[in-house]
Amino acid sequence: MLACAQLVAAHPAFEDVERHSTQLVAERPDDPAAYLTLAQTRRIARDWDGALVALEHAAAHGAQPVEVTALRAAVFLDAGWSNMALLEADRALLLDAGQPQVQILRGRASLALGRPQEAARAFALAIEGTRNPTPDQVLVLADALVAAGDRPGAVAALDHGLTRIGLVPSLALPALDLELEIGRADAALRRIDALLATNARNELWLARRGEVLDRLGRNDEARVARAGALAAIQSRPDGRRGSRSASLERELRSALAPEDHPPPDAKERP
């Protein structure tokens, strides 16, 4: 139930979903799954009281206690009642500790309550209990560790995620940023080079390589990287560049301009 596809209450078709959920209960008044579906629908519609009532009916008609408790935790969390959400998440985990989605709920509630270390532990348990973790799950763990003041731990968490998921930019680039924040520019360079090994013409990564090389004082190499990024942009047809490429192109030209276009009186200076 917690892992179901996200629905958006503002979507025009959502009214049909609500009608279907209500009709389902009318047609199957003794089916706990119908009440769970109704509770989830009301949760998405931000009808917190209605969702909780539907959950009570689900429990009364024999729904699994862990399902009811976990969904109640999600309702409380969405409603902003983080203490209640944490309490319900803990109850669900007592019923069944092997619930990664409930650990995610517990982590989110802990973050909302200003307990990043506790949140990080919950997110880590969720990832370990998931066969195929997502980059978003790894990122929320890294963010919790950063909030707890443990940037090296956040880098380690991202590396663990990269080991399990593969070399995905959504994890590699935040790891690179953290390496720079904690003064490990050499490690950051290795990360950007690993990405470029998969796509040597990526102008964004080439530009980032220039930034990292500047941090290391290797300014000539940084100019080469930026020139490569500029050439990669210019090699694209105009129709495929987009506003982001245009903005990056301006930045690269500005960074390269001082040496490419010296002031007119440069030769007259002593």
Side-chain angles (χ1 to χ4, degrees), residues 11-28:
H11 193 280
F14 187 74
E15 291 181 1
D16 295 334
V17 176
E18 287 184 298
R19 280 195 294 271
H20 172 74
S21 299
T22 303
Q23 183 180 353
L24 199 63
V25 169
E27 293 173 353
R28 293 154 46 185

Side-chain angles (χ1 to χ4, degrees), residues 5-263:
Q6 289 294 314
L7 298 172
V8 181
H11 193 280
F14 187 74
E15 291 181 1
D16 295 334
V17 176
E18 287 184 298
R19 280 195 294 271
H20 172 74
S21 299
T22 303
Q23 183 180 353
L24 199 63
V25 169
E27 293 173 353
R28 293 154 46 185
D30 296 323
D31 183 358
Y35 291 101
L36 288 171
T37 300
L38 181 61
Q40 184 71 295
T41 303
R42 288 175 174 173
R43 171 198 168 199
I44 295 165
R46 304 179 69 79
D47 177 7
W48 317 127
D49 289 339
L52 293 173
V53 168
L55 285 172
E56 289 303 316
H57 286 302
H61 286 84
Q64 292 293 321
V66 67
E67 288 186 285
V68 174
T69 308
L71 188 47
R72 189 183 291 119
V75 172
F76 284 146
L77 184 63
D78 289 350
W81 304 325
S82 302
N83 275 312
M84 294 297 294
L86 188 60
L87 179 63
E88 291 299 307
D90 283 341
R91 285 176 176 169
L93 289 168
L94 283 174
L95 293 167
D96 183 357
Q99 292 280 333
Q101 291 296 327
V102 180
Q103 290 287 4
I104 292 291
L105 281 173
R106 193 183 194 289
R108 290 174 57 202
S110 297
L111 273 183
L113 292 168
R115 306 175 189 173
Q117 291 178 326
E118 192 174 330
R121 285 193 293 272
F123 292 140
L125 287 169
I127 291 169
E128 290 308 310
T130 302
R131 178 175 296 179
N132 297 305
T134 67
D136 283 345
Q137 290 172 329
V138 177
L139 286 171
V140 76
L141 168 58
D143 288 344
L145 288 165
V146 170
D150 185 7
R151 279 175 168 74
V155 173
L158 290 167
D159 278 336
H160 184 59
L162 287 163
T163 299
R164 293 194 61 186
I165 298 171
L167 183 60
V168 291
S170 59
L171 298 182
L173 291 173
L176 182 155
D177 291 335
L178 285 170
E179 298 279 28
L180 291 176
E181 287 179 21
I182 58 182
R184 301 198 301 220
D186 285 318
L189 182 62
R190 288 193 292 272
R191 291 182 185 279
I192 199 66
D193 283 346
L195 284 172
L196 284 166
T198 68
N199 182 0
R201 299 285 291 173
N202 186 300
E203 63 265 23
L204 291 171
W205 299 346
L206 285 165
R208 288 305 309 274
R209 189 174 196 273
E211 294 173 20
V212 175
L213 286 165
D214 273 339
R215 293 279 193 103
L216 291 166
R218 294 159 60 175
N219 305 110
D220 289 341
E221 293 175 72
R223 288 181 60 78
V224 172
R226 291 191 173 99
L230 185 59
I233 293 172
Q234 293 174 330
S235 68
R236 291 186 178 184
D238 290 342
R240 293 186 57 196
R241 293 188 187 182
S243 59
R244 189 175 183 182
S245 292
S247 176
L248 179 60
E249 182 176 1
R250 288 192 295 272
E251 292 176 12
L252 291 167
R253 287 186 181 280
S254 176
L256 291 168
E259 290 187 18
D260 287 350
H261 303 284

